[in-house]
Amino acid sequence: MSSAMVSVQLNGTSTGTPAAATPFLTDAMKLINSVKTFIFDCDGVIWKGDKLIDGVPETLDMLHAMGKRLVFVTNNSTKSRKQYAKKFDSLGLTVAEEEIFPSSFAAAAYLKSVNFPSNKKVYVVGEGGIQLELTQAGISHIGGPEDGDKKIELAPGQIMDHDHHVGAVVVGFDRFFNYYKLQYATLCLRENPGCLFIATNCDAITYLTYAQEWAGGGAMVGALKATTNKEPVVVGKPSTFLMDYLASEFQISKSEICMVGDRLDTDILFGQNGSCRTLLVLSGVTSLDALQSPENSLQPDAYINQLSDLLSAKKSASA
C-alpha cells in the first residue's frame, strides 16, 4: 500500500447553465484507445445482486487483451477487499484483491495516510468489512456489529462511559444501527480531543433489493452530523480520495482514466471530480429518462446500455 499523502475533496454539482445532452457512445474503440485505465463501479455495472450482467466476462477479457488496467471501486463498506475477491471468483471473474477498492478499504487507507497514532483506536459504526480492513491495516478498533444488540437503560443522573483512547469514528452503512452506537460515537467525537469523523460515503439511499430504495449510509452519517455539528471526511465516491490514491498507487495520469458507473451522483461525479473520462451504463440505477431530464445537471461524456456495448470495439477491429 502506498503511504503517500493524498488529499480529500467533495465537490458539489453545478446548477447553472444546463449541460448539453449526453451522447450515446458510438465509437467504443476511440474511447478505449484514449485511456489506459478503466475504473468500474460494481453493482449495476458488473453484477446485479448475485448475478452477473450479460456480456461482462467477455468485455473484461477484451479490455485485458488490449492491455488496459481494470480497477473496481464501490461505496459498499459492508465487505472487505478479500470478501469482494471471493464474490468476483464466485461469479467466474478472476480479479485480484489489489484491484478492488471498497469504501471500507478507503477508510483504512485514509487513516494510514494521515499516520493515525498506534496508541489510538477506531470506533466503528458499520459492518464487518470496515473491521476487516482496519485489522488488515494494523489499526485497533471497537464497535461494529458487536454493539448492535446493546441498549441503554436510562435512569436519573445516568451517564454513559466511553473509551477516551478512540481517536477516530468511522461511519458506514449499518443495518444494526441503534441508539447505543449513536450515543457512543457522539461522545467520542465531542469529548475526545482531535477525534476524526470519517464517513465511507454519504449515499442517501442504497439498493438492498430491487423492489424499493433503502436508507443508505448517509442516514447514519447524518445522525452523527446532527448530534456533533461536525462535518466528516468522506473517503468514498464522489470524494476524490480514492481517485488520488489510485493515481498515486498505480502511477497513472487521471486524464488517462475512464470511470464507468451507473449512478450520476456518485460514479459520474467521482470521475468528474477527478478530471477523468466518464461513461454511464443504464444497466443499474440511472434510467435514460433520469439522464435526459431537464433537472439533471450531471452529464457524463457518454452513455451505453450496458458494459457489453464496448464489445463493438472488438467487432470493428476484426472487420
Side-chain angles (χ1 to χ4, degrees):
M1 182 188 303
S2 170
S3 60
M5 174 69 77
V6 282
S7 63
V8 176
Q9 179 182 348
L10 181 60
N11 294 338
T13 61
S14 172
T15 56
T17 304
T22 299
F24 182 83
L25 182 68
T26 56
D27 192 343
M29 182 62 84
K30 182 178 180 180
L31 170 66
I32 293 170
N33 286 338
S34 69
V35 298
K36 293 182 178 179
T37 299
F38 283 88
I39 300 177
F40 299 104
D41 179 46
C42 293
D43 201 3
V45 178
I46 306 299
W47 59 63
K48 283 186 177 180
D50 291 319
K51 183 179 179 182
L52 269 181
I53 294 174
D54 291 343
V56 164
E58 297 87 345
T59 308
L60 299 184
D61 287 345
M62 178 194 72
L63 294 173
H64 270 304
M66 292 180 172
K68 306 303 176 182
R69 175 183 282 111
L70 309 184
V71 177
F72 302 85
V73 174
T74 174
N75 266 2
N76 189 329
S77 64
T78 62
K79 292 183 176 66
S80 66
R81 298 175 101 180
K82 186 178 294 293
Q83 290 172 319
Y84 268 112
K86 289 180 179 178
K87 176 164 185 175
F88 276 99
D89 184 64
S90 72
L91 295 172
L93 299 175
T94 302
V95 177
E97 289 181 37
E98 294 75 18
E99 298 171 318
I100 307 169
F101 296 88
S103 60
S104 53
F105 170 84
Y110 176 77
L111 286 167
K112 291 197 73 172
S113 76
V114 298
N115 298 314
F116 187 68
S118 60
N119 63 337
K120 295 289 186 179
K121 61 187 71 172
V122 172
Y123 184 72
V124 176
V125 178
E127 301 193 14
I130 297 173
Q131 293 175 306
L132 289 170
E133 290 296 346
L134 291 173
T135 298
Q136 181 69 24
I139 299 172
S140 299
H141 55 86
I142 58 175
E146 290 78 2
D147 284 355
D149 294 329
K150 293 183 179 180
K151 298 180 180 179
I152 299 175
E153 301 295 337
L154 294 178
Q158 181 173 337
I159 62 171
M160 181 178 181
D161 292 326
H162 73 283
D163 192 330
H164 292 275
H165 290 96
V166 170
V169 173
V170 173
V171 186
F173 176 73
D174 190 345
R175 287 168 291 184
F176 312 100
F177 189 66
N178 59 19
Y179 190 73
Y180 178 93
K181 293 183 182 182
L182 177 61
Q183 177 65 3
Y184 199 103
T186 297
L187 290 172
C188 291
L189 289 170
R190 293 180 65 174
E191 298 186 9
N192 291 5
C195 187
L196 301 174
F197 181 12
I198 300 169
T200 62
N201 66 81
C202 289
D203 296 357
I205 57 171
T206 189
Y207 293 85
L208 302 177
T209 70
Y210 284 90
Q212 64 180 177
E213 296 176 341
W214 299 78
M220 297 83 201
V221 175
L224 279 165
K225 287 172 61 175
T227 60
T228 64
N229 198 30
K230 297 177 183 289
E231 288 293 328
V233 172
V234 183
V235 294
K237 297 176 291 187
S239 160
T240 60
F241 173 76
L242 270 178
M243 189 68 75
D244 293 339
Y245 181 92
L246 292 171
S248 173
E249 182 77 2
F250 295 123
Q251 294 297 296
I252 50 179
S253 170
K254 295 176 185 177
S255 64
E256 296 177 316
I257 297 174
C258 180
M259 176 65 210
V260 184
D262 69 312
R263 290 181 67 152
L264 295 168
D265 60 342
T266 55
D267 303 323
I268 300 307
L269 185 55
F270 175 63
Q272 291 179 349
N273 284 346
S275 301
C276 302
R277 302 286 186 87
T278 54
L279 180 64
L280 179 75
V281 296
L282 301 180
S283 53
V285 171
T286 304
S287 66
L288 184 59
D289 285 343
L291 173 65
Q292 296 179 339
S293 168
E295 298 179 358
N296 171 41
S297 62
L298 266 173
Q299 298 290 330
D301 293 319
Y303 77 91
I304 53 179
N305 293 312
Q306 59 184 38
L307 195 61
S308 59
D309 285 353
L310 293 180
L311 290 171
S312 63
K314 186 175 182 179
K315 295 176 184 178
S316 64
S318 61

